[in-house]
Amino acid sequence: MPGLITTAAESTPLDQLEQLEPIEPSDLTISNLKQFFLDLLPGIRSLAFNLIVCLIIILVGRKLIQLLRHMFQKTLEKTQSDVGLIRFLVSGLEIFLNILLIFMVLGQLGINTASIVTVLGTLMLAIGMSLQGSLANVAGGILILLMHPFRVGHYIVCDYGEGTVSVIGLVYTKITTKDNRVLTIPNSMISNCAVTDCGENPIRRLDLVIGISYDSDILLAKNILLEISRNTPEILADPPADVFVDSLGDSAVNIGMNCYVPSASFLSVKWAVTEAVKLKFDEAGISIPFPQVHVHMEK
């Protein structure tokens, strides 16, 4: 008489349903069908129970994933991490937890997940080998967003150029140069080279060295430089500007001036002060020598 065959103790409801013997047409009697459904009932009950358990796992799992996602995001926000990095890490955590939840449901239904894990592992290895360079850029982007060697809006100088950082992505970093060109640098390259961040501190020191002729009045030149520093609004009064004789050159006395300006105004102040120095020196009759060659011919 048709019925369930003997199974191992660890057989699942799906296995029990698959192991039912086929019914011959001649056996389709009322008593045989009744017995068949009676034999089938435990497997159906077990399958229904597992489906209910899977539904509970999904509902509870989704709630836990949302809770963990919220806690993880709040923790990253307290560290003042970059917004792009927070979104990337939170999304990665959510994808990982959802995959884990799917495997728990499949395991509850009695599906062998070992083969699925093997296939996914092989697939991820193949993708990793083909995208090795891109993954290195992603790792570099994560390091930049975590360690903050520079930030968006800072003026930086690196081996590949200089300019204002406009975008820090997971693969590329974009820099806008002074002539308004966009320099795109892979993160794996910029994260492995020396970078000078000119915008990390709110103020920068402006260093100028101006050469005057040996015949010019050194004290007058120093007073003019101090006057320019006092009359330039962007130059900070504290710390005060410092004017000094830097060196005695071959054809000029080099006067140095150090002053502090806001980092965002560094270049504009430098250009304005350089122009003011030339104009004031011309008014005062202080000459700025330039390289000359004197040839003396003897008879």
Side-chain angles (χ1 to χ4, degrees), residues 247-259:
S247 62
L248 301 177
D250 295 336
S251 59
V253 178
N254 295 317
I255 308 296
M257 182 179 75
N258 297 335
C259 58

mmCIF file with all atom_site columns, all heavy atoms in Angstrom, residues 247-259:
data_model
loop_
_atom_site.group_PDB
_atom_site.id
_atom_site.type_symbol
_atom_site.label_atom_id
_atom_site.label_alt_id
_atom_site.label_comp_id
_atom_site.label_asym_id
_atom_site.label_entity_id
_atom_site.label_seq_id
_atom_site.pdbx_PDB_ins_code
_atom_site.Cartn_x
_atom_site.Cartn_y
_atom_site.Cartn_z
_atom_site.occupancy
_atom_site.B_iso_or_equiv
_atom_site.pdbx_formal_charge
_atom_site.auth_seq_id
_atom_site.auth_comp_id
_atom_site.auth_asym_id
_atom_site.auth_atom_id
_atom_site.pdbx_PDB_model_num
ATOM 1  N N   . SER A 1 247 ? 68.378 87.892 3.918  1.00 0.00 ? 247 SER A N   1
ATOM 2  C CA  . SER A 1 247 ? 69.733 87.544 3.499  1.00 0.00 ? 247 SER A CA  1
ATOM 3  C C   . SER A 1 247 ? 70.318 88.673 2.657  1.00 0.00 ? 247 SER A C   1
ATOM 4  O O   . SER A 1 247 ? 69.584 89.557 2.183  1.00 0.00 ? 247 SER A O   1
ATOM 5  C CB  . SER A 1 247 ? 69.750 86.235 2.699  1.00 0.00 ? 247 SER A CB  1
ATOM 6  O OG  . SER A 1 247 ? 68.988 86.371 1.505  1.00 0.00 ? 247 SER A OG  1
ATOM 7  N N   . LEU A 1 248 ? 71.603 88.631 2.493  1.00 0.00 ? 248 LEU A N   1
ATOM 8  C CA  . LEU A 1 248 ? 72.319 89.573 1.627  1.00 0.00 ? 248 LEU A CA  1
ATOM 9  C C   . LEU A 1 248 ? 72.725 88.806 0.373  1.00 0.00 ? 248 LEU A C   1
ATOM 10 O O   . LEU A 1 248 ? 73.667 88.013 0.387  1.00 0.00 ? 248 LEU A O   1
ATOM 11 C CB  . LEU A 1 248 ? 73.540 90.150 2.340  1.00 0.00 ? 248 LEU A CB  1
ATOM 12 C CG  . LEU A 1 248 ? 73.253 90.902 3.647  1.00 0.00 ? 248 LEU A CG  1
ATOM 13 C CD1 . LEU A 1 248 ? 74.551 91.354 4.301  1.00 0.00 ? 248 LEU A CD1 1
ATOM 14 C CD2 . LEU A 1 248 ? 72.346 92.099 3.391  1.00 0.00 ? 248 LEU A CD2 1
ATOM 15 N N   . GLY A 1 249 ? 72.002 89.039 -0.702 1.00 0.00 ? 249 GLY A N   1
ATOM 16 C CA  . GLY A 1 249 ? 72.250 88.310 -1.932 1.00 0.00 ? 249 GLY A CA  1
ATOM 17 C C   . GLY A 1 249 ? 73.372 88.902 -2.751 1.00 0.00 ? 249 GLY A C   1
ATOM 18 O O   . GLY A 1 249 ? 74.034 89.879 -2.356 1.00 0.00 ? 249 GLY A O   1
ATOM 19 N N   . ASP A 1 250 ? 73.597 88.310 -3.928 1.00 0.00 ? 250 ASP A N   1
ATOM 20 C CA  . ASP A 1 250 ? 74.662 88.783 -4.812 1.00 0.00 ? 250 ASP A CA  1
ATOM 21 C C   . ASP A 1 250 ? 74.387 90.176 -5.352 1.00 0.00 ? 250 ASP A C   1
ATOM 22 O O   . ASP A 1 250 ? 75.317 90.974 -5.532 1.00 0.00 ? 250 ASP A O   1
ATOM 23 C CB  . ASP A 1 250 ? 74.831 87.803 -5.978 1.00 0.00 ? 250 ASP A CB  1
ATOM 24 C CG  . ASP A 1 250 ? 75.327 86.445 -5.508 1.00 0.00 ? 250 ASP A CG  1
ATOM 25 O OD1 . ASP A 1 250 ? 75.953 86.378 -4.430 1.00 0.00 ? 250 ASP A OD1 1
ATOM 26 O OD2 . ASP A 1 250 ? 75.056 85.441 -6.208 1.00 0.00 ? 250 ASP A OD2 1
ATOM 27 N N   . SER A 1 251 ? 73.109 90.469 -5.601 1.00 0.00 ? 251 SER A N   1
ATOM 28 C CA  . SER A 1 251 ? 72.795 91.771 -6.190 1.00 0.00 ? 251 SER A CA  1
ATOM 29 C C   . SER A 1 251 ? 71.654 92.468 -5.479 1.00 0.00 ? 251 SER A C   1
ATOM 30 O O   . SER A 1 251 ? 71.154 93.474 -5.956 1.00 0.00 ? 251 SER A O   1
ATOM 31 C CB  . SER A 1 251 ? 72.433 91.590 -7.672 1.00 0.00 ? 251 SER A CB  1
ATOM 32 O OG  . SER A 1 251 ? 71.332 90.719 -7.808 1.00 0.00 ? 251 SER A OG  1
ATOM 33 N N   . ALA A 1 252 ? 71.197 91.927 -4.312 1.00 0.00 ? 252 ALA A N   1
ATOM 34 C CA  . ALA A 1 252 ? 70.060 92.538 -3.630 1.00 0.00 ? 252 ALA A CA  1
ATOM 35 C C   . ALA A 1 252 ? 70.092 92.191 -2.155 1.00 0.00 ? 252 ALA A C   1
ATOM 36 O O   . ALA A 1 252 ? 70.665 91.183 -1.739 1.00 0.00 ? 252 ALA A O   1
ATOM 37 C CB  . ALA A 1 252 ? 68.748 92.074 -4.247 1.00 0.00 ? 252 ALA A CB  1
ATOM 38 N N   . VAL A 1 253 ? 69.473 93.081 -1.363 1.00 0.00 ? 253 VAL A N   1
ATOM 39 C CA  . VAL A 1 253 ? 69.218 92.806 0.046  1.00 0.00 ? 253 VAL A CA  1
ATOM 40 C C   . VAL A 1 253 ? 67.807 92.218 0.124  1.00 0.00 ? 253 VAL A C   1
ATOM 41 O O   . VAL A 1 253 ? 66.833 92.878 -0.238 1.00 0.00 ? 253 VAL A O   1
ATOM 42 C CB  . VAL A 1 253 ? 69.321 94.081 0.897  1.00 0.00 ? 253 VAL A CB  1
ATOM 43 C CG1 . VAL A 1 253 ? 69.006 93.777 2.353  1.00 0.00 ? 253 VAL A CG1 1
ATOM 44 C CG2 . VAL A 1 253 ? 70.696 94.710 0.770  1.00 0.00 ? 253 VAL A CG2 1
ATOM 45 N N   . ASN A 1 254 ? 67.692 90.999 0.559  1.00 0.00 ? 254 ASN A N   1
ATOM 46 C CA  . ASN A 1 254 ? 66.404 90.311 0.584  1.00 0.00 ? 254 ASN A CA  1
ATOM 47 C C   . ASN A 1 254 ? 65.677 90.591 1.894  1.00 0.00 ? 254 ASN A C   1
ATOM 48 O O   . ASN A 1 254 ? 66.151 90.232 2.970  1.00 0.00 ? 254 ASN A O   1
ATOM 49 C CB  . ASN A 1 254 ? 66.616 88.808 0.411  1.00 0.00 ? 254 ASN A CB  1
ATOM 50 C CG  . ASN A 1 254 ? 67.194 88.461 -0.950 1.00 0.00 ? 254 ASN A CG  1
ATOM 51 O OD1 . ASN A 1 254 ? 66.771 88.993 -1.966 1.00 0.00 ? 254 ASN A OD1 1
ATOM 52 N ND2 . ASN A 1 254 ? 68.189 87.583 -0.976 1.00 0.00 ? 254 ASN A ND2 1
ATOM 53 N N   . ILE A 1 255 ? 64.530 91.268 1.775  1.00 0.00 ? 255 ILE A N   1
ATOM 54 C CA  . ILE A 1 255 ? 63.690 91.589 2.920  1.00 0.00 ? 255 ILE A CA  1
ATOM 55 C C   . ILE A 1 255 ? 62.561 90.557 2.998  1.00 0.00 ? 255 ILE A C   1
ATOM 56 O O   . ILE A 1 255 ? 61.837 90.340 2.027  1.00 0.00 ? 255 ILE A O   1
ATOM 57 C CB  . ILE A 1 255 ? 63.095 93.001 2.807  1.00 0.00 ? 255 ILE A CB  1
ATOM 58 C CG1 . ILE A 1 255 ? 64.196 94.032 2.538  1.00 0.00 ? 255 ILE A CG1 1
ATOM 59 C CG2 . ILE A 1 255 ? 62.329 93.356 4.072  1.00 0.00 ? 255 ILE A CG2 1
ATOM 60 C CD1 . ILE A 1 255 ? 65.205 94.167 3.645  1.00 0.00 ? 255 ILE A CD1 1
ATOM 61 N N   . GLY A 1 256 ? 62.421 89.939 4.146  1.00 0.00 ? 256 GLY A N   1
ATOM 62 C CA  . GLY A 1 256 ? 61.384 88.941 4.326  1.00 0.00 ? 256 GLY A CA  1
ATOM 63 C C   . GLY A 1 256 ? 60.226 89.465 5.159  1.00 0.00 ? 256 GLY A C   1
ATOM 64 O O   . GLY A 1 256 ? 60.412 90.321 6.036  1.00 0.00 ? 256 GLY A O   1
ATOM 65 N N   . MET A 1 257 ? 59.022 88.957 4.876  1.00 0.00 ? 257 MET A N   1
ATOM 66 C CA  . MET A 1 257 ? 57.840 89.315 5.667  1.00 0.00 ? 257 MET A CA  1
ATOM 67 C C   . MET A 1 257 ? 57.005 88.057 5.885  1.00 0.00 ? 257 MET A C   1
ATOM 68 O O   . MET A 1 257 ? 56.679 87.339 4.931  1.00 0.00 ? 257 MET A O   1
ATOM 69 C CB  . MET A 1 257 ? 57.002 90.381 4.965  1.00 0.00 ? 257 MET A CB  1
ATOM 70 C CG  . MET A 1 257 ? 55.767 90.808 5.793  1.00 0.00 ? 257 MET A CG  1
ATOM 71 S SD  . MET A 1 257 ? 54.751 92.090 5.035  1.00 0.00 ? 257 MET A SD  1
ATOM 72 C CE  . MET A 1 257 ? 53.909 91.145 3.775  1.00 0.00 ? 257 MET A CE  1
ATOM 73 N N   . ASN A 1 258 ? 56.669 87.795 7.138  1.00 0.00 ? 258 ASN A N   1
ATOM 74 C CA  . ASN A 1 258 ? 55.784 86.696 7.502  1.00 0.00 ? 258 ASN A CA  1
ATOM 75 C C   . ASN A 1 258 ? 54.529 87.267 8.134  1.00 0.00 ? 258 ASN A C   1
ATOM 76 O O   . ASN A 1 258 ? 54.614 88.077 9.064  1.00 0.00 ? 258 ASN A O   1
ATOM 77 C CB  . ASN A 1 258 ? 56.456 85.739 8.489  1.00 0.00 ? 258 ASN A CB  1
ATOM 78 C CG  . ASN A 1 258 ? 57.687 85.073 7.895  1.00 0.00 ? 258 ASN A CG  1
ATOM 79 O OD1 . ASN A 1 258 ? 57.791 84.947 6.688  1.00 0.00 ? 258 ASN A OD1 1
ATOM 80 N ND2 . ASN A 1 258 ? 58.611 84.654 8.746  1.00 0.00 ? 258 ASN A ND2 1
ATOM 81 N N   . CYS A 1 259 ? 53.373 86.837 7.647  1.00 0.00 ? 259 CYS A N   1
ATOM 82 C CA  . CYS A 1 259 ? 52.105 87.273 8.226  1.00 0.00 ? 259 CYS A CA  1
ATOM 83 C C   . CYS A 1 259 ? 51.110 86.122 8.101  1.00 0.00 ? 259 CYS A C   1
ATOM 84 O O   . CYS A 1 259 ? 51.306 85.182 7.326  1.00 0.00 ? 259 CYS A O   1
ATOM 85 C CB  . CYS A 1 259 ? 51.575 88.533 7.546  1.00 0.00 ? 259 CYS A CB  1
ATOM 86 S SG  . CYS A 1 259 ? 51.332 88.361 5.762  1.00 0.00 ? 259 CYS A SG  1
#
